[in-house]
Amino acid sequence: MKKVLILANDLSYIKMLNSNLDKTKYTIVIGDLENRNPFSYCLNSLADVILIHQSFMKNYTLLHQLVATNRFLIIYLSKKNEAGYLYSIMNNSRFYLLNDLKYYCINEIIDIMTKDNSILLSLELEKNKLSEKLEEEQWIKKAKTLLIKKGHTEEEAYKQILKTSMNERITKKLAAKKIIEEEGF
């Protein structure tokens, strides 16, 4: 169950949001910030989603700070067109600017943001794996080239990298780096 933190100074919006959020999917917490730093409070809340109403905002610093953490889905509810002030975070998949008159679709928006961020996270992980694989291949190619220049065949050079990897119990990338260092490059 996701934890949703509501930050608003307007009680009518707190009631509306609280009544519209699906209680079977979300644990709802109403922000109690008396004498507390809002940013620290949000970090310590362990919330998955933060709903911030314009009545709560004095400036946009809090929104920018929360988006920068990449820890929360943030939905900012406002009836004003504030896109200009929020331009730098509008394209972040963890931020959504919602007209506060459309609060009735909040469950669907949270679902969509959750799915989108899950997809983005899996794509990021896949990208990192492919980048690591590419880097490994580049190191192996450099080591093979060096060994070929020393008189080995391509097959012998690759077997040397594998042998170093197995004997030293290190990755092929590290074995290739070691061979390059040992040869003085």
Side-chain angles (χ1 to χ4, degrees), residues 59-106:
N59 61 46
Y60 300 100
T61 305
L62 177 63
L63 287 174
H64 289 274
Q65 289 173 325
L66 292 173
V67 169
T69 66
N70 273 333
R71 289 176 54 182
F72 315 100
L73 298 178
I74 300 153
I75 300 173
Y76 180 55
L77 297 118
S78 174
K79 59 182 139 214
K80 298 187 257 177
N81 183 3
E82 300 173 271
Y85 298 108
L86 303 170
Y87 180 76
S88 63
I89 58 175
M90 289 294 288
N91 287 330
N92 189 304
S93 65
R94 294 183 158 275
F95 178 80
Y96 192 84
L97 175 61
L98 177 65
N99 184 314
D100 65 359
L101 299 175
K102 296 181 180 173
Y103 61 87
Y104 55 86
C105 61
I106 198 78

Side-chain angles (χ1 to χ4, degrees), residues 136-152:
E136 178 182 69
E137 291 297 325
Q138 290 171 337
W139 280 105
I140 291 171
K141 185 177 179 181
K142 287 177 186 177
K144 280 178 23 182
T145 302
L146 180 66
L147 291 170
I148 289 169
K149 286 181 182 176
K150 294 277 186 179
H152 296 359

